[in-house]
Amino acid sequence: MKKIAVLTSGGDAPGMNAAIRAVVRKARFHGVEVVGVYHGFEGLYKGNFELLDLGAVGGIIQRGGTKLYSARFPEFKEDEYQLKAIENMREQGIEGLVVIGGDGSYRGAMQLTEKGFPCVGIPGTIDNDIAGTEYTIGFDTALNTVIDAIDKIRDTATSHENTFIVEVMGRAAGDIALWAGLAAGAESVLIPEEEYDLEEIIARLERGAARSKKHSIIIVAEGVMPGHKLAKILEEKTGIQIRVSVLGHIQRGGAPSAQDRVLAGRLGAKAVEVLLEGGSGRAVGIRNHTIVDYGLREAYEGNHKADLSLYTLSKELSI
Amino acid sequence: MKKIAVLTSGGDAPGMNAAIRAVVRKARFHGVEVVGVYHGFEGLYKGNFELLDLGAVGGIIQRGGTKLYSARFPEFKEDEYQLKAIENMREQGIEGLVVIGGDGSYRGAMQLTEKGFPCVGIPGTIDNDIAGTEYTIGFDTALNTVIDAIDKIRDTATSHENTFIVEVMGRAAGDIALWAGLAAGAESVLIPEEEYDLEEIIARLERGAARSKKHSIIIVAEGVMPGHKLAKILEEKTGIQIRVSVLGHIQRGGAPSAQDRVLAGRLGAKAVEVLLEGGSGRAVGIRNHTIVDYGLREAYEGNHKADLSLYTLSKELSI
Amino acid sequence: MKKIAVLTSGGDAPGMNAAIRAVVRKARFHGVEVVGVYHGFEGLYKGNFELLDLGAVGGIIQRGGTKLYSARFPEFKEDEYQLKAIENMREQGIEGLVVIGGDGSYRGAMQLTEKGFPCVGIPGTIDNDIAGTEYTIGFDTALNTVIDAIDKIRDTATSHENTFIVEVMGRAAGDIALWAGLAAGAESVLIPEEEYDLEEIIARLERGAARSKKHSIIIVAEGVMPGHKLAKILEEKTGIQIRVSVLGHIQRGGAPSAQDRVLAGRLGAKAVEVLLEGGSGRAVGIRNHTIVDYGLREAYEGNHKADLSLYTLSKELSI
Amino acid sequence: MKKIAVLTSGGDAPGMNAAIRAVVRKARFHGVEVVGVYHGFEGLYKGNFELLDLGAVGGIIQRGGTKLYSARFPEFKEDEYQLKAIENMREQGIEGLVVIGGDGSYRGAMQLTEKGFPCVGIPGTIDNDIAGTEYTIGFDTALNTVIDAIDKIRDTATSHENTFIVEVMGRAAGDIALWAGLAAGAESVLIPEEEYDLEEIIARLERGAARSKKHSIIIVAEGVMPGHKLAKILEEKTGIQIRVSVLGHIQRGGAPSAQDRVLAGRLGAKAVEVLLEGGSGRAVGIRNHTIVDYGLREAYEGNHKADLSLYTLSKELSI
């Protein structure tokens, strides 16, 4: 291979730029050229390409977001769009593609692979919800952003002896809520993977109040229910006034954490290696501290499983 | 004077602890004892007192929230509650009271003063809405928290070329929105002090889009309207999808900024001086870098005026 | 067991407080009382004990340093001091001890174990240099502090096109330098585990300059040589002016990262479990995301091995 | 005027990019073109120019350092270099120049003015040492970086009951030390403007120890003496072991604080106004919250005076 392309797709995640940088530098290390594709699959279809030299990825390792932009492009499900994308790449002499994104992006990559164009996926999403890899790029940063926000909220909660519900991201996967709950010392955590027990949450609130610990933090993943809805339910049952904070989009941004940058560096380099060794339709990931590659289909058809031992521990520590 | 008391009241603000520390240390410097009152005016009424020595205020200068807790206590408007509070203080030999809080707290302090108990107010609120002082303790920290959040949101806005509305605190006073707008380079800012011009906001959105700057940040003070309502209006008029982030309570917490700590130190020390010099019914504040004191009534009856030259500048710089 | 004790020893590390909290809460969950020992082994010898209830560990999960203080106490190597410590604990009805610290602290714990007092060690040190566990509490936070500092230095390095040497902690173990190098995109990294190649470092500097990338960051672990010494060597060889930043003690402090808090929570809980199940002379650690326990002696006699694949990758990415 | 230029010179400071952005946007608001000069006066001499449109200053308001680079260029003191610079600008149709930097940079600007080329200076330096303006761009950010570092050091100092000396920037001006001392609650502060009293510092150390406050932070401006030298002196006199942290270059970097961004916006806009109104040889600054302009010579011949009331207060609060 002489030339490969790289794009970012789906929701942006901190560390995507570090991954782009690693792809470019590892490829250059092997004498391979790298073309950046702007605006994800839409840019692939429209031929929105630019050659990335070492200078083009200078000073981006620490930046949130993605220098290559990201976009939704539902049309890409259709064959003609995919074929056009492949044609565009072949015209430029591009022989392989690295796709950085979530499982929606992996599907697009798999379809290109099936039409004969070698693709490798890098897991870039704050939700940590991709099967086959223990961590995704962006998760650790999002987690630190969440606990930093909860530390701030706790200042107010403690000073006013209030109960707060903090709604965090996570539709199907509760990893952010789960880890943040343990890291921030939340009194209760609600995740999509586990049935919540309203009576237990209420008992916990009342137990705290009884031993004069009058403030309380409850974390709820957006996939369980909106924070405001939970507040209303709890207020009706307990008569306690409850405040709500929806963390929202701040969870996606910010300079990537050390872990995310190192992970991005390792996965970016591995993706290039896989392509150069002839791999196609592969995803890269981390398992037991080792960087691995496996089938893209396994990644988006499989299920990421949250570590529910953290859920149990969280409960034990918030007696 | 041999003994004074200090309490925090109203919404907590970063730097309140630094102010408590300064009150205690300045008083100790003059050989005066300081009693901390827990839970604001409620604690004053209930006699929830504790003698604060130097060790008691060690390691708090950098902490958000308030070590003395804060609480709403509407009953304190009534004479008998105020008289009981004064009785409690006199029983303990307390001869003066420092109240750290917003203008609601100042009213309580003024009523005690009118009943013969010397009080001095220190402006502690993130809203920067107290007349007679250019800055209040907590404003600068809140501002930095807001721009840090907007920087994160901008990462996503840029990567996805989205328009975001960020709702910040400020019911009657637009200082946070105004300063944050300038500091974060927002495209439009809506504050309670100025009529907003929907057509102009829309024109600005469309002008940006026309020169391929497809992302945009609009800041709205909660006192103007909820962010979600503004989003709906703009979406209907422009067809552009708009995301909303309500920053909420994270704005109140966090370690105080350098400015807030220095301001807290200066105002806390001044409050003690005023009491020791026989001042009563006074507020302390900063004007032209000089620490001043003035009538408490002036503080809560007067109007804080936002610096609207920043509003004009903000518009000019967001062409 | 009805009552156990906990202490922190050696250099402080962010997350020690979160570990103390987990020990107390997990023990309380099982109905066991926890005594906090102040000032490490010195406090054990002097009987500097305090019963810790749930309230005593409230609001500390996010604090750097250690609430129980730490101290050097070389005398503790002697039998009589150890016997006195055991006597003190037995007098208070304490039946087991949790020691949070580095390998020096583990030795003390092992000696108490050998004299018949059950001890369990929790790895708390920023250096990540304890055998048998992949991570120690504090390492991730220190790493984030280091890359945050390097990001700041890079602003200046880029603006002035300077070369900087950043000296980081790590006498025998290069983990901080190694990970920070990859995370911060350093041009060269010097660690104690690998012979450095001066010619290569110089070549790298000159290669960057040749392609008009005039700034450069070199990270050196203190165990290799002082940053100022390296600067002098490189200046003599290249004629390039080199600036030095010694990060020093800021690396030990700060609010613990999410990873460190979760790790502290898991290890703290495990330590209590091990004691309650009759374990003695054990260390707890993390391997392949699983919390394990193993012999204390193995921990301080074995060698922690840095992941040198990161070293190779770091070189490839900094072409 | 139809076209102006802007450059940054001297040590970089956070907020320089925000100032560049404001210059460009304010000029564009008035229909004036802006040319960016790279590498300060050296670039002026070499004609290293680039036209900056609105897009060129997008996404830089939050970045530390300077997008236009900075450089030392001692040759610029000579007439021929200055004349060549003016010739270069005239050739490009540039009619005025904005110089962002410290007082060395102001001298260069004044010399160009005297040779007939209109210049305006914007104070950009972390040292806050320019006469005629109460604040310089970068000071507030540096201050926050310093107190954040000291907060981290205090975690360790408290845990180990150590005394720390923290050396901060400031050769002739002690503003950073002075403000940081108050904001971080340092026990002693040494600034170039005031004779230090060794006996008092020692007394303070010993007084703290006597009331069992065994940790202590001493801040010294580099202009007084190196931190390591002070440590040696104090160790000899007291026998107390003292640790030293030299904060160094991290003080120059990082995302600018809200205050610095607002100040940069206001000063950048004012500089353009002054040029457009025919001003020449002027500096812009802030006095009593009002943006002013005054003679460049006044700026670099006058003396910035630190607010020594903070010094007195700092002592009173650190009893």
Side-chain angles (χ1 to χ4, degrees):
Chain A
M1 265 185 202
K2 290 280 159 44
K3 198 190 272 188
I4 62 173
V6 59
L7 63 81
T8 50
S9 168
D12 65 314
M16 279 185 162
N17 279 326
I20 295 166
R21 174 184 179 274
V23 167
V24 170
R25 285 176 166 266
K26 176 72 174 182
R28 293 307 303 147
F29 177 78
H30 292 293
V32 173
E33 287 191 316
V34 181
V35 169
V37 180
Y38 290 95
H39 307 287
F41 290 113
E42 186 176 348
L44 208 58
Y45 169 70
K46 293 184 177 167
N48 201 342
F49 297 163
E50 187 182 27
L51 200 64
L52 302 175
D53 60 11
L54 291 178
V57 295
I60 67 167
I61 199 172
Q62 78 276 29
R63 303 245 189 277
T66 161
K67 169 196 170 65
L68 293 176
Y69 303 98
S70 188
R72 310 194 69 233
F73 191 55
E75 296 88 333
F76 202 72
K77 281 177 197 150
E78 293 171 44
D79 285 352
E80 55 174 296
Y81 284 83
Q82 298 164 16
L83 292 171
K84 176 68 178 153
I86 291 174
E87 192 189 319
N88 288 339
M89 289 192 281
R90 292 214 170 116
E91 261 173 24
Q92 299 291 323
I94 298 166
E95 298 167 84
L97 174 67
V98 176
V99 171
I100 307 170
D103 46 18
S105 316
Y106 276 21
R107 268 171 217 275
M110 193 62 207
Q111 287 165 319
L112 293 177
T113 299
E114 286 166 353
K115 290 196 170 51
F117 200 89
C119 293
V120 172
I122 296 178
T125 163
I126 64 166
D127 292 326
N128 207 36
D129 61 351
I130 293 187
T133 184
E134 288 157 358
Y135 295 108
T136 58
I137 298 167
F139 171 62
D140 186 58
T141 307
L143 201 54
N144 279 300
T145 299
V146 167
I147 65 161
D148 182 58
I150 297 179
D151 285 353
K152 288 191 170 73
I153 289 167
R154 191 178 287 278
D155 283 340
T156 285
T158 309
S159 299
H160 288 274
E161 306 186 320
N162 285 328
T163 294
F164 267 88
I165 289 172
V166 181
E167 181 192 314
V168 301
M169 282 190 174
R171 286 187 206 283
D175 282 55
I176 290 180
L178 191 55
W179 287 69
L182 203 49
E187 276 66 29
S188 296
V189 179
L190 287 77
I191 56 173
E193 289 89 346
E194 288 279 317
E195 204 68 39
Y196 61 90
D197 178 344
L198 218 51
E199 296 314 312
E200 192 190 332
I201 297 169
I202 292 168
R204 216 175 276 273
L205 277 179
E206 290 169 348
R207 208 156 59 219
R211 66 161 217 274
S212 87
K213 176 180 168 299
K214 290 171 195 140
H215 79 272
S216 213
I217 306 271
I218 297 167
I219 298 180
V220 59
E222 62 183 336
V224 176
M225 77 173 93
H228 289 284
K229 189 175 163 194
L230 179 60
K232 214 172 155 189
I233 295 173
L234 289 176
E235 284 187 340
E236 274 167 16
K237 296 248 180 191
T238 64
I240 299 173
Q241 197 203 2
I242 295 176
R243 289 164 202 280
V244 179
S245 186
V246 180
L247 295 188
H249 282 86
I250 59 166
Q251 295 168 81
R252 289 203 179 285
S257 70
Q259 295 293 342
D260 274 332
R261 296 192 204 180
V262 169
L263 183 61
R266 298 178 78 183
L267 293 179
K270 179 71 171 183
V272 171
E273 275 173 18
V274 171
L275 273 183
L276 296 190
E277 287 163 4
S280 184
R282 310 294 288 170
V284 294
I286 185 164
R287 296 184 196 165
N288 293 343
H289 307 291
T290 307
I291 302 300
V292 298
D293 68 292
Y294 57 103
L296 264 178
R297 193 181 299 280
E298 184 187 327
Y300 64 80
E301 288 185 346
N303 279 312
H304 163 79
K305 286 206 188 76
D307 180 350
L308 294 178
S309 75
L310 299 185
Y311 188 71
T312 311
L313 179 58
S314 199
K315 287 196 180 191
E316 291 180 9
L317 296 187
S318 58
I319 52 162
Chain B
M1 269 186 198
K2 290 278 160 45
K3 197 190 272 189
I4 62 173
V6 59
L7 63 80
T8 50
S9 169
D12 65 315
M16 280 185 162
N17 279 325
I20 295 166
R21 174 183 179 274
V23 167
V24 171
R25 285 176 167 266
K26 176 71 174 182
R28 294 307 302 148
F29 177 78
H30 292 292
V32 172
E33 287 190 317
V34 181
V35 169
V37 181
Y38 289 95
H39 307 289
F41 290 113
E42 187 176 349
L44 209 58
Y45 169 70
K46 293 184 176 167
N48 202 340
F49 297 163
E50 186 182 27
L51 200 65
L52 302 176
D53 60 11
L54 291 177
V57 294
I60 67 167
I61 199 172
Q62 78 278 28
R63 302 244 189 278
T66 161
K67 169 196 169 65
L68 293 176
Y69 303 97
S70 188
R72 310 195 69 232
F73 190 55
E75 296 88 333
F76 202 71
K77 282 179 196 149
E78 293 172 41
D79 286 352
E80 55 175 295
Y81 285 82
Q82 297 164 16
L83 292 170
K84 176 67 178 155
I86 292 174
E87 191 189 319
N88 288 339
M89 289 192 281
R90 292 215 169 115
E91 261 173 23
Q92 299 292 323
I94 297 165
E95 298 166 86
L97 173 67
V98 175
V99 171
I100 307 170
D103 46 18
S105 315
Y106 276 22
R107 267 171 217 275
M110 193 62 207
Q111 287 165 318
L112 293 177
T113 299
E114 286 166 352
K115 290 192 171 55
F117 200 89
C119 292
V120 172
I122 296 178
T125 163
I126 64 166
D127 293 326
N128 207 36
D129 60 351
I130 293 187
T133 184
E134 287 157 357
Y135 295 108
T136 58
I137 298 167
F139 171 61
D140 185 60
T141 306
L143 201 55
N144 278 300
T145 299
V146 167
I147 65 162
D148 183 58
I150 297 179
D151 285 352
K152 287 193 170 71
I153 289 167
R154 192 177 287 277
D155 283 340
T156 286
T158 309
S159 299
H160 288 274
E161 306 187 320
N162 284 329
T163 294
F164 267 87
I165 289 172
V166 180
E167 181 191 314
V168 301
M169 283 190 173
R171 286 187 207 285
D175 282 55
I176 291 180
L178 191 55
W179 287 68
L182 203 50
E187 277 65 30
S188 295
V189 179
L190 286 78
I191 56 174
E193 289 89 345
E194 288 280 316
E195 204 68 38
Y196 61 89
D197 178 346
L198 218 50
E199 297 314 312
E200 192 190 331
I201 297 169
I202 292 167
R204 215 175 276 274
L205 278 178
E206 289 169 348
R207 208 156 58 219
R211 66 160 216 273
S212 88
K213 176 182 169 298
K214 291 173 194 137
H215 78 271
S216 212
I217 306 272
I218 297 167
I219 299 180
V220 58
E222 62 183 336
V224 176
M225 77 173 91
H228 288 285
K229 189 175 163 194
L230 178 60
K232 214 173 156 187
I233 294 172
L234 289 176
E235 285 186 341
E236 275 168 14
K237 295 248 181 191
T238 64
I240 299 173
Q241 197 203 3
I242 295 177
R243 288 164 202 280
V244 179
S245 185
V246 179
L247 295 188
H249 283 85
I250 59 167
Q251 294 168 80
R252 288 203 180 285
S257 70
Q259 294 293 341
D260 275 331
R261 296 192 205 180
V262 169
L263 183 61
R266 298 178 78 182
L267 294 179
K270 179 70 172 185
V272 172
E273 274 173 18
V274 170
L275 272 183
L276 296 191
E277 287 163 4
S280 184
R282 309 295 289 169
V284 294
I286 186 164
R287 298 183 195 165
N288 293 341
H289 307 291
T290 306
I291 302 300
V292 298
D293 68 292
Y294 57 104
L296 264 178
R297 193 181 298 279
E298 184 187 327
Y300 65 79
E301 288 185 347
N303 279 312
H304 163 79
K305 285 207 188 76
D307 180 350
L308 294 178
S309 75
L310 299 185
Y311 188 70
T312 311
L313 178 59
S314 199
K315 287 196 179 191
E316 290 182 8
L317 296 188
S318 59
I319 53 162
Chain C
M1 266 184 200
K2 290 280 160 45
K3 198 190 270 190
I4 61 173
V6 59
L7 64 80
T8 50
S9 169
D12 64 315
M16 279 186 162
N17 279 325
I20 295 167
R21 174 184 180 273
V23 167
V24 171
R25 285 176 166 266
K26 176 73 174 181
R28 294 305 303 144
F29 178 78
H30 292 291
V32 172
E33 285 190 317
V34 181
V35 169
V37 180
Y38 289 96
H39 306 289
F41 290 113
E42 186 176 349
L44 209 57
Y45 169 71
K46 294 185 176 167
N48 203 340
F49 297 163
E50 186 182 27
L51 200 65
L52 301 176
D53 61 11
L54 292 178
V57 295
I60 67 166
I61 199 171
Q62 77 277 29
R63 303 245 189 277
T66 161
K67 169 195 169 66
L68 294 175
Y69 304 97
S70 188
R72 311 194 68 232
F73 191 56
E75 296 88 332
F76 202 71
K77 281 178 198 151
E78 293 171 43
D79 285 352
E80 56 175 293
Y81 285 82
Q82 297 164 17
L83 292 171
K84 174 71 179 152
I86 291 174
E87 191 189 319
N88 288 339
M89 288 192 282
R90 291 214 171 117
E91 261 174 22
Q92 299 292 324
I94 297 166
E95 298 167 84
L97 173 67
V98 176
V99 171
I100 308 170
D103 44 19
S105 315
Y106 276 22
R107 267 171 217 274
M110 193 62 207
Q111 287 165 318
L112 294 177
T113 299
E114 286 167 351
K115 290 193 171 53
F117 200 88
C119 293
V120 173
I122 296 178
T125 163
I126 64 166
D127 293 326
N128 208 36
D129 61 351
I130 294 187
T133 184
E134 288 156 358
Y135 296 107
T136 58
I137 298 167
F139 171 61
D140 186 59
T141 306
L143 201 55
N144 278 301
T145 299
V146 167
I147 65 162
D148 183 58
I150 298 179
D151 285 352
K152 286 191 170 72
I153 290 167
R154 190 177 288 278
D155 284 339
T156 285
T158 309
S159 299
H160 288 275
E161 306 185 321
N162 285 328
T163 294
F164 267 88
I165 289 173
V166 181
E167 180 191 315
V168 301
M169 283 190 172
R171 286 187 205 284
D175 282 55
I176 290 180
L178 190 55
W179 287 68
L182 203 50
E187 276 66 28
S188 295
V189 179
L190 286 76
I191 56 173
E193 289 88 347
E194 288 280 316
E195 203 70 37
Y196 61 89
D197 178 346
L198 217 51
E199 297 314 311
E200 193 190 330
I201 296 169
I202 291 167
R204 216 175 276 274
L205 277 179
E206 289 169 350
R207 209 157 58 221
R211 66 161 216 274
S212 87
K213 177 182 168 299
K214 292 170 195 141
H215 78 272
S216 212
I217 306 271
I218 297 167
I219 299 180
V220 59
E222 61 182 337
V224 176
M225 77 173 91
H228 288 285
K229 188 175 164 195
L230 179 60
K232 214 172 155 188
I233 295 173
L234 289 176
E235 284 186 342
E236 275 168 16
K237 297 247 180 192
T238 64
I240 298 173
Q241 197 204 2
I242 294 178
R243 289 164 200 279
V244 179
S245 185
V246 180
L247 294 189
H249 282 85
I250 60 167
Q251 295 168 80
R252 288 202 180 286
S257 70
Q259 295 294 340
D260 274 333
R261 296 193 204 180
V262 169
L263 183 61
R266 298 178 78 183
L267 294 178
K270 179 71 172 185
V272 172
E273 274 173 19
V274 171
L275 273 183
L276 297 191
E277 287 163 5
S280 185
R282 309 294 289 169
V284 294
I286 185 163
R287 297 183 196 164
N288 294 340
H289 308 291
T290 306
I291 302 300
V292 297
D293 69 291
Y294 57 104
L296 264 178
R297 194 180 299 278
E298 183 187 328
Y300 65 80
E301 288 185 347
N303 279 312
H304 162 79
K305 285 206 189 77
D307 181 351
L308 294 178
S309 75
L310 299 184
Y311 189 70
T312 311
L313 179 58
S314 199
K315 287 195 179 190
E316 290 182 7
L317 296 187
S318 58
I319 53 162
Chain D
M1 267 185 200
K2 290 280 158 47
K3 198 190 272 189
I4 62 173
V6 59
L7 63 80
T8 50
S9 169
D12 65 313
M16 279 185 162
N17 279 326
I20 295 166
R21 175 184 178 272
V23 167
V24 170
R25 285 176 167 265
K26 176 72 173 181
R28 294 305 305 146
F29 178 77
H30 292 293
V32 172
E33 286 190 317
V34 181
V35 169
V37 180
Y38 289 95
H39 307 289
F41 290 114
E42 186 176 350
L44 209 58
Y45 169 70
K46 293 186 176 166
N48 202 341
F49 297 163
E50 186 181 27
L51 199 65
L52 301 176
D53 61 11
L54 291 177
V57 294
I60 66 166
I61 199 170
Q62 78 277 28
R63 302 244 189 277
T66 161
K67 168 195 170 66
L68 294 176
Y69 304 98
S70 189
R72 310 195 68 235
F73 191 55
E75 297 88 333
F76 202 71
K77 280 178 198 150
E78 293 172 41
D79 286 352
E80 54 174 296
Y81 284 83
Q82 297 164 16
L83 292 170
K84 176 68 179 153
I86 291 174
E87 192 190 318
N88 287 339
M89 289 193 280
R90 291 214 171 117
E91 261 175 23
Q92 300 290 326
I94 297 167
E95 298 166 84
L97 174 67
V98 176
V99 170
I100 307 170
D103 45 18
S105 315
Y106 276 22
R107 268 173 216 275
M110 193 62 206
Q111 287 165 318
L112 293 177
T113 299
E114 285 166 353
K115 291 195 168 52
F117 200 89
C119 292
V120 173
I122 296 178
T125 163
I126 64 165
D127 293 326
N128 207 37
D129 61 351
I130 294 187
T133 184
E134 288 157 358
Y135 296 107
T136 58
I137 298 167
F139 171 62
D140 186 59
T141 307
L143 202 54
N144 279 300
T145 299
V146 167
I147 64 162
D148 183 57
I150 297 179
D151 285 352
K152 286 192 171 72
I153 289 167
R154 191 177 287 276
D155 284 340
T156 286
T158 309
S159 300
H160 288 274
E161 305 186 321
N162 285 328
T163 294
F164 267 88
I165 289 173
V166 180
E167 181 192 315
V168 301
M169 283 190 173
R171 287 188 204 283
D175 282 56
I176 290 180
L178 191 55
W179 287 68
L182 203 49
E187 277 64 29
S188 295
V189 179
L190 286 77
I191 55 172
E193 290 88 346
E194 289 279 317
E195 205 68 38
Y196 61 90
D197 178 346
L198 217 51
E199 297 315 311
E200 193 191 330
I201 297 169
I202 292 167
R204 215 176 278 274
L205 278 180
E206 289 169 349
R207 208 157 58 220
R211 66 161 217 274
S212 87
K213 177 182 168 297
K214 292 170 196 142
H215 79 272
S216 213
I217 306 271
I218 297 167
I219 298 180
V220 59
E222 61 182 338
V224 177
M225 76 173 91
H228 288 285
K229 188 174 163 195
L230 179 60
K232 214 171 156 190
I233 295 173
L234 289 176
E235 284 187 341
E236 275 167 15
K237 296 248 181 189
T238 64
I240 299 173
Q241 197 204 4
I242 295 178
R243 289 163 201 280
V244 179
S245 185
V246 180
L247 295 188
H249 282 86
I250 60 167
Q251 295 169 80
R252 289 204 179 285
S257 71
Q259 295 294 340
D260 274 332
R261 296 193 204 180
V262 169
L263 183 61
R266 297 178 79 183
L267 294 179
K270 179 70 172 185
V272 171
E273 273 173 20
V274 170
L275 272 183
L276 296 191
E277 286 163 4
S280 184
R282 309 294 289 169
V284 294
I286 186 164
R287 296 183 197 165
N288 295 341
H289 307 290
T290 306
I291 302 300
V292 298
D293 68 292
Y294 57 104
L296 264 178
R297 194 181 299 277
E298 183 187 328
Y300 66 79
E301 288 185 347
N303 279 312
H304 163 79
K305 285 204 189 77
D307 181 351
L308 294 178
S309 75
L310 298 185
Y311 189 71
T312 312
L313 179 58
S314 199
K315 287 195 179 191
E316 291 181 8
L317 296 187
S318 58
I319 52 163

